[in-house]
Amino acid sequence: MTGVIKGAEGYLIAAYLLTWTVVLGYGFCLFARWRKLCKKS
Amino acid sequence: MKKYIAAILALGFFAFAQWWGLTQTPSDAMMGAVQKIMYAHVPAAWNSFIAFFVVFVSSLLFLIRKKIFWDRLAASAAEVGVALTGLTLCLGSIWGRPTWGVWWTWDARLTTTAILFFLYVGYLSFRKFIEDPEKRAKLAAPLGVLIFLNVPIVYMSVRWWRTLHQVQSSPSTMDPAMVLALRLNAFAFLGLLILFIYWRYKIAKRKGELEEGL
């Protein structure tokens, strides 16, 4: 592993987990709201 | 099935771009592996600016043409922009802790971005307070134009006030592998931005139809 900062992989994992949580979470909420509203007559 | 294809393509490309950024790029000489947060942080920031530009243009077009389509588009883009700005701030904070030693500092870029986030949260809250769709659109449009003024301030903040956040990198100062990964992720986020604005617009349109009793 290169770089002056060692042992910071946890921050990298946390950042990518957060990114995927936001993308999938927000995306799913939007999709579910869209589907729910489309079913309403 | 057709309506799922766009979502599958956007998510698939996003997964590919994220994998590419994590595994196919060199680690930074100074920051090491943690620098790879850049492939999520920077594209999220760029795309939040695009979302807010959509709010600006849509608000302007509503003021000119008075069509409810533009108001709904502005509201949709604002919500997606807020989600991306929130993500940008959180990722920046996670990146700042191992590199700067702090989760947050009152640096010019960080402060102006936080102001940007709260301005658009305010814009969305303001819309919630007005029930009449026409009145809401008429009052929200000038606000959507006005608050966009902060976007160029955020962009230029690293040049105008030299504090902690680094100035914008250019392809000439970066490893070509990093440039490619950054561009891939920028387009991947753009795909998701378009998809999310489209879904959010559909929700706004359907809600409007239900309110009107159509």
Side-chain angles (χ1 to χ4, degrees), chain A residues 26-37:
Chain A
Y26 183 57
F28 179 76
C29 285
L30 281 180
F31 186 70
R33 274 163 75 191
W34 178 30
R35 294 278 295 167
K36 196 179 162 189
L37 279 171

Side-chain angles (χ1 to χ4, degrees), chain A residues 12-30, chain B residues 11 14 18 40 83-84 86-87 90-91 94 189 192 196:
Chain A
L12 181 66
I13 295 165
Y16 276 83
L17 278 177
L18 177 71
T19 304
W20 276 92
T21 305
V22 170
V23 165
L24 292 180
Y26 183 57
F28 179 76
C29 285
L30 281 180
Chain B
L11 261 181
F14 181 72
Q18 293 264 286
L84 285 176
L87 179 65
C90 292
L91 291 175
I94 295 170
F189 267 93
L192 288 176
F196 288 170

Side-chain angles (χ1 to χ4, degrees), chain B residues 46-78:
Chain B
W46 284 348
N47 281 283
S48 70
F49 289 171
I50 294 172
F52 295 144
F53 183 67
V54 173
V55 179
F56 171 71
V57 173
S58 304
S59 301
L60 260 184
L61 285 169
F62 176 81
L63 288 173
I64 297 164
R65 302 206 171 158
K66 310 283 180 206
K67 282 199 171 180
I68 201 74
F69 165 81
W70 297 113
D71 176 64
R72 286 173 184 160
L73 185 62
S76 308

